[in-house]
Amino acid sequence: MLLNLISMIILTLILMILFMIMILINMKMKFNHNKSAPFECGFDPFNKSRIPFSLNFYLIAIIFLIFDIEISIILPMILNFKISNMFYFNTMFMIFFMFMIITIFYEWKFGSLNWKI
């Protein structure tokens, strides 16, 4: 018991020392205007670097992330197909796909998939 306590204290001290070293290394020295300016092949920027972007690109990225995560949920379900109860497996699979279908219709209804030129 005492050995565990001592090892935990030593580990905590090591982590605190590493944290302090990380803070010291990560400190910013001073602000440099040239380093913080946008870089375009050695020339001064022609336009502002903070131009507004299209919201459609953002929405498509969010849709991609949602369906990408859903695909990562499907893979373990397929791998557990042989060892699971068929009724529970089919019920969960149908609920999951209904959720995907409802999600895509919801996005379609509110215009997330429409591209305006």
Side-chain angles (χ1 to χ4, degrees), residues 2-114:
L2 185 62
L3 185 63
N4 287 340
L5 181 63
I6 292 172
S7 64
M8 293 266 300
I9 291 172
I10 291 172
L11 185 62
T12 305
L13 287 174
I14 291 172
L15 287 174
M16 287 173 61
I17 291 170
L18 287 174
F19 183 69
M20 295 302 278
I21 291 171
M22 181 186 69
I23 288 174
L24 289 174
I25 290 173
N26 214 11
M27 290 177 77
K28 293 185 178 184
M29 298 302 169
K30 58 183 174 178
F31 181 74
N32 189 350
H33 181 68
N34 290 333
K35 286 185 179 180
S36 65
F39 181 73
E40 292 184 10
C41 302
F43 299 105
D44 288 332
F46 298 119
N47 296 327
K48 288 184 177 181
S49 62
R50 299 285 183 184
I51 57 173
F53 63 96
S54 174
L55 190 60
N56 289 332
F57 288 113
Y58 178 74
L59 290 174
I60 292 297
I62 295 297
I63 292 168
F64 171 76
L65 286 175
I66 289 170
F67 284 102
D68 193 38
I69 290 171
E70 288 176 354
I71 293 299
S72 67
I73 292 172
I74 288 175
L75 288 176
M77 288 173 61
I78 293 171
L79 294 176
N80 291 328
F81 178 71
K82 290 183 181 177
I83 61 174
S84 64
N85 186 351
M86 285 305 293
F87 176 73
Y88 293 134
F89 181 82
N90 287 338
T91 305
M92 186 169 60
F93 213 67
M94 291 304 289
I95 290 171
F96 184 74
F97 273 112
M98 287 304 295
F99 175 73
M100 285 179 65
I101 290 169
I102 289 170
T103 305
I104 197 75
F105 280 127
Y106 179 80
E107 291 167 355
W108 188 12
K109 179 184 177 205
F110 286 103
S112 296
L113 302 176
N114 293 336

